[in-house]
Amino acid sequence: MRWRKLGAGLAIGTALLVIAGFIGWQVLSNFFIRSYYETTYEPRRVTMADIAPAPSSWMLADIPWIAADGPLCQSTSLQMIAAQHGHLQPRPAIDWLMSFTYGFTSMPGSNHVMPFGLDPEVGMRNAAPYLGLQRQYYVTDDADVFVTLARSFIAQGYPVRVALDMGTLYGATEFIAHSDVLIGYDEESFYLYETVCLPPAPCQPGQHPAGDHGLKVSTQQLLAAITSQARIFQYPWRYNLTIFTPTTPATDLRPVWRQLAQTMLDTNQYGPPTGVAALEQWIDEIDKGHVTPAQIQNTVPLAARLRRENAAFLRERFAAEPAIVQAATHLAEAAAYYEQAATATEPTQIAALLRRAAAAERAFGEAVRAYAP
């Protein structure tokens, strides 16, 4: 599967599509979009007067570079930052805390879905306390303020996570919604740990030790990539950055399970469906011949991989919880149907297999909801 096609699917997990599902993509207005971002993202607006001075260059040496081999930039960003704070977790654990690789989201105005659920910005906010972290989301319309603020946080020891357009960052023509982590800077550039090392990123997937300089990008290229995503997603600001500060770890997992059940099962009253309902609607479109083979291959193999990873994680992490172990078997069952559907050629056969997968997804969501009502 080509990365550019996968990369385009990253947008499915982003705020724009969640907004579209929440209030109806056909009736969106700038007012409702702004209201969603301002309320849900909890932005902190900053000015130059708020920023502590920083030296002309700095490089963090205590955060590992972890690069995924698929469109998992959001949870990989948080995985690296948590590791810096001594909370190294496998990526599926971060996915679970974020409700990121669970459920489905429809792309408004197209016959396409991707196997990602909750808006990852919300997912990071929800997951952070369980990693002993508190999320702080900063915004500005001033490029100089952004650069000065990012440098200041890095010099204070905080990696800076940014949402940006991967295509613009590396000189590609296609928009790719993305998330990266800044770990250093000099007078004209920033150094970043790329979260997904597939083209157009000039790196290889894997884990590198702390202290690696990562990839160097010019400040202007970074600014262009951030504003490109802001424009596409209609953020009420031009520049964003997120840092995570230490806090007392949360221990009550009931909100995690409740969010997970909601991501899997609940759809929206207005606009395109989400969760299992989004998958079921997509299957109907396959039956009608409205979905291309390329769209199927962009979604189904990825769904198989993610559901199998999620099932394995839940079985291992919650081995002492029979209800969760049993629920995870439904994800494994769904993964098996996705794998079969990925190799099938007849639309009717693909649709039949996906309906079985949808039933398994629904069974998982219902089991989780019963576990943490």
Side-chain angles (χ1 to χ4, degrees):
M1 186 183 304
R2 291 184 58 82
W3 160 243
R4 290 188 180 183
K5 293 179 180 178
L6 271 178
L10 289 173
I12 301 299
T14 60
L16 183 63
L17 297 180
V18 174
I19 298 169
F22 183 62
I23 57 178
W25 66 273
Q26 290 180 322
V27 296
L28 285 179
S29 69
N30 289 336
F31 171 78
F32 288 118
I33 292 174
R34 176 180 289 273
S35 296
Y36 175 85
Y37 286 132
E38 295 284 1
T39 301
T40 308
Y41 284 23
E42 302 174 350
R44 300 185 180 191
R45 297 183 182 275
V46 291
T47 66
M48 202 67 80
D50 303 318
I51 305 172
S56 59
S57 64
W58 199 266
M59 190 73 67
L60 297 179
D62 61 349
I63 176 173
W65 180 9
I66 303 172
D69 62 353
L72 297 156
C73 58
Q74 308 284 359
S75 50
T76 303
S77 295
L78 185 53
Q79 182 187 18
M80 285 191 278
I81 294 170
Q84 184 210 28
H85 289 273
H87 301 284
L88 180 61
Q89 295 284 338
R91 197 212 67 252
I94 309 296
D95 291 332
W96 165 68
L97 289 171
M98 291 177 60
S99 294
F100 180 43
T101 58
Y102 296 79
F104 282 83
T105 305
S106 301
M107 177 175 286
S110 74
N111 294 319
H112 194 50
V113 300
M114 288 294 283
F116 297 98
L118 188 65
D119 176 348
E121 298 289 354
V122 178
M124 286 187 182
R125 183 196 68 192
N126 294 348
Y130 297 96
L131 299 167
L133 302 172
Q134 182 178 12
R135 165 190 171 275
Q136 299 178 26
Y137 186 89
Y138 293 88
V139 301
T140 180
D141 292 325
D142 189 315
D144 290 337
V145 169
F146 169 83
V147 170
T148 305
L149 183 64
R151 290 175 174 177
S152 179
F153 278 133
I154 292 171
Q156 294 175 61
Y158 296 108
V160 171
R161 178 263 174 183
V162 289
L164 74 176
D165 172 8
M166 187 183 194
T168 296
L169 185 67
Y170 297 117
T173 57
E174 182 179 2
F175 171 77
I176 305 171
H178 198 48
S179 174
D180 271 327
V181 178
L182 308 179
I183 52 87
Y185 65 88
D186 58 31
E187 292 183 349
E188 298 180 350
S189 307
F190 278 89
Y191 296 83
L192 63 85
Y193 281 172
E194 177 53 64
T195 54
V196 178
C197 280
L198 292 173
C203 55
Q204 296 296 319
Q207 182 164 339
H208 308 265
D212 194 303
H213 282 193
L215 302 180
K216 183 177 182 179
V217 298
S218 73
T219 298
Q220 292 305 311
Q221 195 77 357
L222 177 67
L223 292 172
I226 294 172
T227 56
S228 175
Q229 178 146 319
R231 182 177 63 256
I232 294 295
F233 287 168
Q234 301 181 56
Y235 294 154
W237 45 78
R238 290 174 58 82
Y239 305 99
N240 73 89
L241 67 81
T242 307
I243 66 163
F244 295 84
T245 56
T247 190
T248 303
T251 57
D252 182 1
L253 294 178
R254 286 175 295 179
V256 177
W257 295 116
R258 290 168 186 161
Q259 179 63 73
L260 189 60
Q262 181 178 353
T263 300
M264 297 292 296
L265 295 176
D266 292 349
T267 191
N268 300 300
Q269 184 177 358
Y270 306 104
T274 57
V276 177
L279 174 58
E280 291 172 336
Q281 184 183 76
W282 191 60
I283 296 168
D284 290 339
E285 294 300 311
I286 292 174
D287 254 341
K288 297 173 184 176
H290 295 165
V291 181
T292 68
Q295 289 173 322
I296 293 172
Q297 285 304 310
N298 280 347
T299 297
V300 175
L302 180 59
R305 171 188 170 176
L306 297 179
R307 298 306 186 261
R308 195 163 292 286
E309 287 181 351
N310 293 340
F313 162 74
L314 293 174
R315 284 169 168 168
E316 179 179 355
R317 179 63 62 90
F318 300 99
E321 298 288 339
I324 297 303
V325 173
Q326 177 59 34
T329 63
H330 297 303
L331 290 181
E333 181 184 3
Y337 287 130
Y338 292 133
E339 288 166 353
Q340 295 175 50
T343 60
T345 57
E346 294 295 326
T348 54
Q349 183 184 13
I350 294 171
L353 290 165
L354 292 181
R355 283 197 174 90
R356 295 177 183 176
E361 297 247 350
R362 186 178 298 281
F364 171 75
E366 290 172 348
V368 170
R369 177 161 287 172
Y371 179 76

